[in-house]
Amino acid sequence: MTQDRPVLGITLMLAFCVIAPMGDAIAKLLSDSLPVSQLVVVRFGIQSIILVPLVWLTARPWRMRGRYWSLTALRAALHIIGIGAMFTSLKYLPLADAFAIAFVMPFILLILGRFVLNEEVGKRRIIACTVGFAGTLMVIQPSFAAVGWNALWPLLVAVAFAFFIIVTRHLAKDTDPVALQAVSGLMATGFLVPALLLGDAAGLHDLVITPPERWEAWLLVSIGLIGTVAHLLMTWSLRFAPSATLAPMQYLEIPMATLLGWLIFRDLPNGLSSLGIAITIGAGLYVILRERATARDPGLETPA
């Protein structure tokens, strides 16, 4: 068992919150000139190139049997959908808005826990979910007025990653996290590369292979490197600190995305979006803190 080292865990999570939005900012930068499908293929291809040798060199257990293969394949499919939807949303939305809308995910997880997993969910957290979703709608409204239905891509990101987390929870107890990422990357790459090649041969607009310029090629590689390193940082942070300690820190991705959006694209949320972002963050933090409190004292959810 790895001994808890909260300071190290928090440091690693902070690094994740700083690095992860950088990959999305680069994807937004490239989305005007390269197809999203190509960005996603490179993202998973680089992940496989990095992690498969790492698993082999460190002799990590990677063989899976029975339902673990099917769950890993489902996890890889959800990961493809989540990243593909996020990269697509960034073609139309500012970084901060896309991140804020996608952070409706904790509320979706809570609802899934109540109605799919039959977990006990108290009235306070249901109210917090309602408030948080209202904040998300405040972010969506001006974006929807500007780009139409494309403003809803981050909601697909949230749904896909909510199910992704549920599947990961089922796998995490019995699989090595780095090996799981390596196998998922291989599965995703094995599916995406033939799909991209067939789509390019058929002349499908969204699956055409576009030769990148030299600077674009370097940025493409950096998307895969940043995505892989970011997920490893998150995985390692959870080895040294409880998830209840680290979960609230993930909301730091929103101000980081806002900063990057302003520095690179000169995008800033308008007044309504800023208020919606603040409400979403506040409601999400309340849900997370409430989860932590009820984990310590289950009696808090018992009706009076």
Side-chain angles (χ1 to χ4, degrees), residues 111-224:
I111 293 169
L112 289 175
R114 172 64 181 87
F115 294 104
V116 176
L117 304 177
N118 293 320
E119 296 175 351
E120 190 67 33
V121 178
K123 291 181 179 179
R124 294 182 184 182
R125 283 184 285 172
I126 292 294
I127 293 172
C129 283
T130 305
V131 173
F133 190 71
T136 302
L137 291 177
M138 293 171 67
V139 181
I140 291 176
Q141 193 277 329
S143 300
F144 192 87
V147 300
W149 292 101
N150 288 308
L152 301 184
W153 280 107
L155 288 181
L156 178 57
V157 177
V159 173
F161 276 110
F163 281 101
F164 175 86
I165 288 174
I166 290 175
V167 174
T168 302
R169 284 177 182 172
H170 285 285
L171 289 167
K173 294 180 181 179
D174 302 308
T175 55
D176 178 84
V178 178
L180 178 61
Q181 284 292 97
V183 174
S184 295
L186 276 177
M187 286 183 171
T189 305
F191 170 77
L192 288 169
V193 169
L196 185 61
L197 292 174
L198 290 173
D200 183 65
L204 298 179
H205 179 265
D206 294 328
L207 295 175
V208 173
I209 298 175
T210 303
E213 301 289 340
R214 178 173 294 183
W215 67 272
E216 291 175 328
W218 283 110
L219 290 180
L220 268 174
V221 172
S222 69
I223 288 176

Side-chain angles (χ1 to χ4, degrees), residues 47-123:
Q47 176 178 317
S48 303
I49 291 171
I50 293 174
L51 294 185
V52 170
L54 178 62
V55 169
W56 181 73
L57 289 171
T58 55
R60 294 173 180 271
W62 60 271
R63 292 180 178 83
M64 302 176 188
R65 297 179 180 176
R67 72 183 188 93
Y68 291 104
W69 276 112
S70 57
L71 285 175
T72 303
L74 175 60
R75 182 180 183 273
L78 291 168
H79 207 178
I80 292 171
I81 294 170
I83 290 179
M86 188 63 181
F87 286 178
T88 303
S89 73
L90 293 173
K91 292 178 62 175
Y92 307 100
L93 300 175
L95 270 173
D97 288 7
F99 268 79
I101 297 169
F103 264 93
V104 76
M105 183 186 66
F107 314 134
I108 295 175
L109 275 173
L110 201 66
I111 293 169
L112 289 175
R114 172 64 181 87
F115 294 104
V116 176
L117 304 177
N118 293 320
E119 296 175 351
E120 190 67 33
V121 178
K123 291 181 179 179

